[in-house]
Amino acid sequence: MSEITFKDRVAIVTGAGTGLGRSHALGLAARGAKVVVNDLGVGRDGVGASSEAADAVVAEIKAAGGEAMSHGCDVSDEAGVKDMVAQAMDAWGRVDIAVNNAGILRDKTFAKMEMSDFRKVVDVHLIGSANVAHACWPIMREQKYGRIVFTSSASGIYGNFGQANYGAAKAAMLGLMNVLHIEGARDNIRVNTLAPTAATRMTEELLPPEAAELLAPELITPGLLYLVSEDAPSKVILGAGAGSFAQTRVYETEGITLLDSDNTPEAVAAQFADVSDNQTQEELADAFSQTKKYALNAAKARGLKLGW
Ligand code: NAD
């Protein structure tokens, strides 16, 4: 196994002043990357602003002999993100890696949630991640090299009480990854998603101290470093926490085909066990694979031949 290095690579890590982002930025810098340490310096709910935390991480990287600069833009502000990417280009002439990590929480049950809190969380996680990827995209295409990671969450993948805004925004990371994976492939841009679970200020009230001790953010960073490395996979959802690494996948069952007078809600109900049969499930490569599968099923049932 060859050593993973980021020598001559330029990385942007958002929300890198604290928690997971800080750990990722330090990990990238320790292996040779020049790092833009982005952080707006807000509270857990996205309120406030300070450059202190990002500056401290830059100082830490420099003290260890690495190269870094801070940038305090709000990732949900497109102009600020463009300025950050322009500054990275001015200083170092390329952007190879974008780690979308910045995040906030505004937890409430859906019944009590204001739509302004829904929108704010979507703005930071989804629009913020899209802003960064979009500003880096033409550079990565031109370089024929790019590694992008989005940060999702088990809350988005599996659901979590009180996090309709956060869960929706985090599930959106998968949609963004799926499409950018396809569009980036020809230019050697690989796109993955990290689903971490760690003891940070975001989770401090949820974790008993003995569990928190096991869930250090630093244990997740090796997985992130693999996802942005030269030989990175693409379209992977990597769960990570407490030293565990696991892959989440989306599957579709083989399903059933109901035509003509059989195409009724009662028939769907009666055959729902077959619809759900996980023995036949498989991963589909893209959206059109589903269209093709269904049209081919119908054609087969009708004894027709399609050109596919
Ligand atoms: P954290 O609160 O310690 O760090 C988040 C950082 O993002 C903060 O430094 C904050 O100032 C910065 N930030 C927030 N809004 C920003 C904005 N608009 N622009 C720029 N920076 C901004 O949280 P963390 O636990 O390290 O979380 C990092 C990421 O991992 C988040 O996306 C979070 O949703 C995700 N995540 C964390 C966990 C966990 O268990 N900690 C679980 C699942 C997902």
Side-chain angles (χ1 to χ4, degrees):
M1 185 62 45
S2 63
E3 197 186 335
I4 290 180
T5 164
F6 298 101
K7 193 175 166 303
D8 300 325
R9 297 287 178 207
V10 175
I12 294 174
V13 185
T14 69
T18 54
L20 286 158
R22 173 178 172 275
S23 170
H24 299 336
L26 293 173
L28 282 160
R31 285 172 183 256
K34 302 175 178 81
V35 183
V36 179
V37 177
N38 160 262
D39 208 291
L40 183 58
V42 290
R44 206 169 59 169
D45 60 356
V47 174
S50 156
S51 61
E52 222 171 276
D55 290 342
V57 175
V58 169
E60 207 174 333
I61 290 172
K62 286 186 173 166
E67 277 186 75
M69 69 162 90
S70 68
H71 198 285
C73 73
D74 177 340
V75 290
S76 65
D77 169 34
E78 188 182 357
V81 168
K82 279 186 169 159
D83 180 71
M84 170 171 70
V85 173
Q87 287 200 27
M89 287 298 283
D90 283 350
W92 296 318
R94 51 190 299 124
V95 177
D96 301 286
I97 294 165
V99 179
N100 292 283
N101 166 82
I104 61 165
L105 291 178
R106 299 243 171 130
D107 292 1
K108 272 201 178 103
T109 60
F110 198 51
K112 291 188 180 145
M113 188 177 287
E114 299 288 342
M115 282 312 292
S116 57
D117 285 337
F118 196 102
R119 198 177 293 275
K120 176 72 183 172
V121 167
V122 169
D123 260 353
V124 173
H125 293 273
L126 173 56
I127 304 301
S129 298
N131 279 339
V132 172
H134 193 252
C136 295
W137 199 251
I139 297 165
M140 292 178 169
R141 288 188 66 203
E142 176 84 24
Q143 290 170 176
K144 300 261 177 266
Y145 190 94
R147 301 287 181 261
I148 298 175
V149 163
F150 298 113
T151 305
S152 184
S153 163
S155 177
I157 300 171
Y158 304 119
N160 198 22
F161 189 91
Q163 295 195 315
N165 49 4
Y166 183 79
K170 287 309 202 186
M173 297 296 111
L174 310 186
L176 193 50
M177 171 189 73
N178 289 337
V179 175
L180 297 193
H181 156 76
I182 293 170
E183 292 189 11
R186 65 185 160 193
D187 292 315
N188 188 22
I189 302 173
R190 300 185 194 170
V191 190
N192 295 292
T193 299
L194 185 70
T197 180
T200 65
R201 66 179 195 174
M202 208 177 245
T203 49
E204 64 195 351
E205 289 121 40
L206 299 174
L207 300 169
E210 61 279 15
E213 257 175 52
L214 298 173
L215 286 156
E218 290 72 23
L219 295 173
I220 290 169
T221 294
L224 177 278
L225 296 183
Y226 171 57
L227 293 183
V228 296
S229 66
E230 190 102 18
D231 295 327
S234 195
K235 203 188 174 189
V236 160
I237 304 165
L238 183 69
S244 287
F245 296 99
Q247 194 175 346
T248 298
R249 295 200 186 99
V250 177
Y251 293 107
E252 179 170 305
T253 60
E254 175 55 30
I256 58 166
T257 304
L258 301 172
L259 301 175
D260 305 322
S261 59
D262 289 337
N263 194 311
T264 64
E266 291 76 18
V268 175
Q271 295 183 53
F272 207 67
D274 292 333
V275 169
S276 314
D277 179 9
N278 61 15
Q279 296 300 313
T280 63
Q281 67 193 16
E282 60 170 359
E283 217 173 343
L284 300 184
D286 54 23
F288 198 63
S289 304
Q290 192 197 50
T291 308
K292 237 165 129 177
K293 168 180 159 183
Y294 296 171
L296 283 167
N297 282 346
K300 192 172 162 205
R302 292 189 189 283
L304 301 172
K305 272 222 165 334
L306 293 184
W308 290 333

